[in-house]
Amino acid sequence: MAANYWASTQRRHWLFSREKLADIREGLREKDKVAHSQFPLPDQRLLNIYFNQRRLIQIIELIKLGKRMSTRQQAIATAQVYLKRFYTKNEIRQTSPYLVLTTAFYLACKMEESPQHIRFVVGEARGLWPEFITPDVAKLGECEFALISELSSQLIVHHPYRTLSELQTELSLTSDEIALAWSVINDHYLTDLPLLHPPHVIAIMAIIVAVVFKPTHPSAYPGTGQSALAGSMRDGGGMQMLAALSDKTGSGPPPKIQKLVGWLAESEVDIKAVIECTQELVSLYEVWEQYSEKSCKELLGRMVKSKNLDK
Amino acid sequence: MFGKGFPFMNSGGFYSHAIESRRPGGYTSKVRVRDRYNIVGFISSGTYGRVYKAVGKNGKKGEFAIKKFKPDKEGETIQYTGLSQSAIREMALCTELSHANVVQLEEIILEDKCIFMVFEYTEHDLLQIIHHHTQPQRHAIPAPMVRSIMFQLLNGLLYLHTNWVLHRDLKPANILVTSSGAIRIGDLGLARLFYKPLNSLFSGDKVVVTIWYRAPELLMGSRHYTPAVDMWAIGCIFAELLSLRPIFKGEEAKMDSKKTVPFQRNQMMKIVEILGLPRKESWPGLASMPEYSQLQSLVLHRQPSHFHRGSNLEGWYQSCLKNGGYSSTSSAGTPGADGFDLLSRMLEYDPSKRMTAEQALEHPYFTNGGPISGNCFEGIEGKYPHRRVTQDDNDIRTGSLPGTKRSGLPDDSLMRASKRLKE
């Protein structure tokens, strides 16, 4: 159902356990061992940073999609989820990631009711990656067929942003906290979390990070200040506090956190899952420190060019 | 008959024939329509493409309706040009939705640059049923059948609305009926989600809903429309089931060369003739509607006689019952006073006061008067004719591409109705 997550295709078909996801990826690797040894690629999260964060934002800015941040972010988020799902069915080394990314974005814009003309999207993508995107719009049109087919036409995506705005009043979140939670949600698309947990768990994780850890750089976007956040999450003792939540023995934290703890205790949210999400995020911020745009670009470029994936 | 000449598929499937092995990024469908279905005939066409009747093969059982979206054409060859937003919407929504009163999707096949949406086959639709009741002379649709149709229809609509889906194109031709009397809301080509849409619902498609079923707030140029637009259409369909004629049969004013949407003066007139003029007192938002001045000019330029009296819906209803022979003693039965009350609440000018699908299902029209059958044909003598499936080879062959000749027709049902009358 369109607005009911519990009956959605997202929950029924695109939610995996960690083990299942690992098996799927191992299966893809087994099918193409040669390419794997020939074309080593950086950590998937670093590739995600390379594509999603920096490049998508650039395209979006070029296209001036909508006036509000929420418009753009929702289309980006949907495109990111399409990519993740697509690459559970296809080995990245069999595709041109640049083309798949552009197509996912083109499709997500239509799905999120901000359609962009195919020529325009191809033109802008060519501006960014002239060596990887051909001017032939039919290429993108063809890739759209492949993408929809691999996604089994299941194109409606539920995002944590909605839960976040729904809980804003209930948990009396400040605009700083909302902004920070929002950027944490943006960041989670760089990890496997959208394939592992339902959107409301992610939203609650983001709220906890925003309220409990209170990093010094709020509304860091995109991705700046993440090391500060990682630092405060590692060192601030927040982890212990969060762990304490699951024991329901939160004694003496500030009223705001007490309120959050009380709310969590009454809700039936899976606290363990929330903690796991938080750890995933910390580990993303640690990996982020190794990010090198140059190395991502080189490795991908070598793969695409030598396999003629852009033809 | 359709073995070789039937151009259901574009001949010379490019990838299947020209390229044996899959090249990177090249798309080949894993499933082929012709391996799974035998096409047995042609059902209808519209701006989107064509609908065919098919039967399953290779162990697949049942009858199906396959909606083929036409691909764009550049010069002589068909190219991938990106799918239309409405195709994307329909695919995504049909994949996500599942309800006994919403058309059931079997699968979607993307092959040879075309989309094939495979639906369950439905033998009838409301347009066809209404038409059948006008031939050879008018005979009313029995009241219990109307009640069952309306109940199922509202159930399907409640499901769509609680899932934040607006249908936006409800009309008799889009309400499908299976041979066992189950109602299925079909054609979600214009449907969309309305939960905090990124753009206003107005910005995407300037004109929605076939003119006869278009809600007054849309005629008045509203940009903030709601599920109430579907409820207006349901009210119109209810009236049409009882009277066998569209209740507000206006003429559509076409867009001018500048592609601005004109005020639908004639359609608004048809509504005013039965419901009286909308008033600021009972519809507070009226005066701020974009077309309010147009509405006022309508009053000034016409004879004031029927403008200044109130609604005559009750008069319309009573004569409808009389003409249809609806009464508690007749074989058709009667929708009675409850039926009128329900109709008047669905044909309410002010969208914020218009009855919702949920409220309508609780209305005495349904709660009084015994159980409602899930088979609208229950107790009905005589059979409805089967859906017309043509095997008109010429028609199909000559059209170089599906749908192209008839594109631009605003309303497929109009075309189909007039075609039927000629026969």
Side-chain angles (χ1 to χ4, degrees), chain A residues 130-201:
Chain A
E131 67 274 45
F132 298 117
I133 299 280
T134 70
D136 181 8
V137 295
K139 276 265 176 287
L140 197 146
E142 183 178 24
C143 187
E144 183 179 32
F145 266 53
L147 187 57
I148 294 173
S149 176
E150 293 293 7
L151 301 180
S152 311
S153 309
Q154 290 155 1
L155 303 177
I156 294 174
V157 179
H158 295 256
H159 293 292
Y161 302 111
R162 186 187 293 184
T163 314
L164 177 62
S165 57
E166 282 166 357
L167 290 178
Q168 177 166 14
T169 344
E170 196 169 344
L171 297 174
S172 14
L173 302 173
T174 65
S175 57
D176 273 359
E177 287 161 347
I178 286 288
L180 181 63
W182 184 275
S183 73
V184 167
I185 293 175
N186 294 347
D187 287 348
H188 103 286
Y189 290 105
L190 301 173
T191 69
D192 286 335
L193 287 174
L195 297 175
L196 297 171
H197 294 286
H200 65 274
V201 169

Side-chain angles (χ1 to χ4, degrees), chain A residues 1-3 8-9 68 106-107 110 112-113 115 138 142 144-146 148-150 153-154 162 166 309, chain B residues 15 23-24 26-27 30 74 80 82-83 85 88-89 95-96 108 113 159 163-164 192-193 195 198-199:
Chain A
M1 288 194 260
S8 67
T9 53
R68 288 171 303 139
Y106 169 66
L107 182 60
K110 283 189 280 193
E112 299 299 343
E113 303 289 350
E142 183 178 24
E144 183 179 32
F145 266 53
I148 294 173
S149 176
E150 293 293 7
S153 309
Q154 290 155 1
R162 186 187 293 184
E166 282 166 357
L309 293 170
Chain B
Y15 288 106
R23 66 184 170 78
Y27 176 72
K30 290 170 185 166
E74 285 188 1
Y80 284 110
L83 294 170
Q85 199 186 5
I88 299 274
R89 267 186 206 140
T95 302
E96 206 73 19
I108 297 175
K113 306 187 179 76
Y159 170 80
N163 285 287
W164 307 94
R192 59 186 275 189
L193 297 172
Y195 186 93
L198 296 174
N199 287 325

Side-chain angles (χ1 to χ4, degrees), chain A residues 6 23 39 103 109 121 123 127 146 178 199-200 224 234 236 247 281 285:
Chain A
W6 301 101
D23 284 353
F39 304 105
T103 309
C109 284
V121 174
I178 286 288
H200 65 274
T224 52
R234 268 197 311 269
D247 303 334
L281 204 70
Y285 293 145

Side-chain angles (χ1 to χ4, degrees), chain A:
Chain A
M1 288 194 260
N4 182 348
Y5 171 77
W6 301 101
S8 67
T9 53
Q10 178 167 341
R11 179 166 176 273
R12 288 182 289 134
H13 302 295
W14 300 103
L15 194 63
F16 305 93
S17 67
R18 257 175 217 284
E19 297 71 33
K20 178 73 185 157
L21 198 55
D23 284 353
I24 288 170
R25 292 191 177 142
E26 185 54 28
L28 289 173
R29 206 183 70 88
E30 280 295 316
K31 276 193 210 155
D32 200 359
K33 278 184 170 164
V34 181
H36 263 270
S37 56
Q38 240 179 329
F39 304 105
L41 292 176
D43 186 293
Q44 185 59 47
R45 289 168 294 184
L46 294 175
L47 284 182
N48 292 341
I49 293 169
Y50 173 69
F51 280 118
N52 301 338
Q53 221 50 358
R54 308 243 183 268
R55 298 298 165 164
L56 262 177
I57 303 274
Q58 278 183 21
I59 299 192
I60 307 262
E61 274 165 7
L62 287 166
I63 288 177
K64 299 207 167 34
L65 173 64
K67 289 183 184 69
R68 288 171 303 139
M69 181 71 117
S70 58
T71 307
R72 306 179 207 169
Q73 190 54 50
Q74 181 120 342
I76 299 176
T78 297
Q80 286 170 311
V81 171
Y82 289 168
L83 282 174
K84 277 178 213 307
R85 292 179 179 181
F86 180 81
Y87 284 122
T88 62
K89 300 253 180 114
N90 295 273
E91 166 55 44
I92 189 168
R93 291 164 185 79
Q94 301 287 342
T95 66
S96 165
Y98 294 93
L99 179 62
V100 177
L101 169 74
T102 308
T103 309
F105 175 69
Y106 169 66
L107 182 60
C109 284
K110 283 189 280 193
M111 205 51 231
E112 299 299 343
E113 303 289 350
S114 316
Q116 304 297 323
H117 198 279
I118 190 167
R119 291 195 185 285
F120 195 58
V121 174
V122 167
E124 296 303 332
R126 256 180 81 69
L128 287 172
W129 312 299
E131 67 274 45
F132 298 117
I133 299 280
T134 70
D136 181 8
V137 295
K139 276 265 176 287
L140 197 146
E142 183 178 24
C143 187
E144 183 179 32
F145 266 53
L147 187 57
I148 294 173
S149 176
E150 293 293 7
L151 301 180
S152 311
S153 309
Q154 290 155 1
L155 303 177
I156 294 174
V157 179
H158 295 256
H159 293 292
Y161 302 111
R162 186 187 293 184
T163 314
L164 177 62
S165 57
E166 282 166 357
L167 290 178
Q168 177 166 14
T169 344
E170 196 169 344
L171 297 174
S172 14
L173 302 173
T174 65
S175 57
D176 273 359
E177 287 161 347
I178 286 288
L180 181 63
W182 184 275
S183 73
V184 167
I185 293 175
N186 294 347
D187 287 348
H188 103 286
Y189 290 105
L190 301 173
T191 69
D192 286 335
L193 287 174
L195 297 175
L196 297 171
H197 294 286
H200 65 274
V201 169
I202 304 296
I204 287 162
M205 177 273 288
I207 291 170
I208 291 176
V209 168
V211 174
V212 176
F213 299 100
K214 282 258 192 290
T216 42
H217 294 279
S219 69
Y221 185 83
T224 52
Q226 66 283 114
S227 52
L229 184 52
S232 88
M233 286 167 73
R234 268 197 311 269
D235 313 328
M239 267 321 198
Q240 288 89 320
M241 198 188 297
L242 195 59
L245 290 180
S246 54
D247 303 334
K248 296 174 185 167
T249 57
S251 58
K256 180 119 194 192
I257 294 176
Q258 259 176 6
K259 183 173 181 182
L260 185 59
V261 170
W263 183 86
L264 278 170
E266 271 180 38
S267 73
E268 292 184 0
V269 180
D270 182 351
I271 302 287
K272 281 210 174 76
V274 174
I275 294 171
E276 196 188 307
C277 293
T278 318
Q279 284 159 346
E280 186 74 37
L281 204 70
V282 171
S283 121
L284 166 73
Y285 293 145
E286 284 169 353
V287 159
W288 207 316
E289 284 157 24
Q290 307 158 23
Y291 175 69
S292 149
E293 178 170 333
K294 193 160 157 278
S295 115
C296 286
K297 192 175 177 181
E298 278 171 10
L299 288 168
L300 281 169
R302 197 165 71 82
M303 174 189 95
V304 172
K305 284 297 171 198
S306 45
K307 294 191 76 174
N308 280 329
L309 293 170
D310 52 338
K311 292 295 178 304

Side-chain angles (χ1 to χ4, degrees), chain B residues 351-378:
Chain B
S352 67
K353 292 186 193 139
R354 201 171 300 147
M355 193 169 244
T356 65
E358 191 174 11
Q359 291 162 347
L361 286 165
E362 299 287 314
H363 190 274
Y365 174 68
F366 296 117
T367 55
N368 293 342
I372 300 163
S373 176
N375 170 7
C376 72
F377 299 133
E378 195 172 285

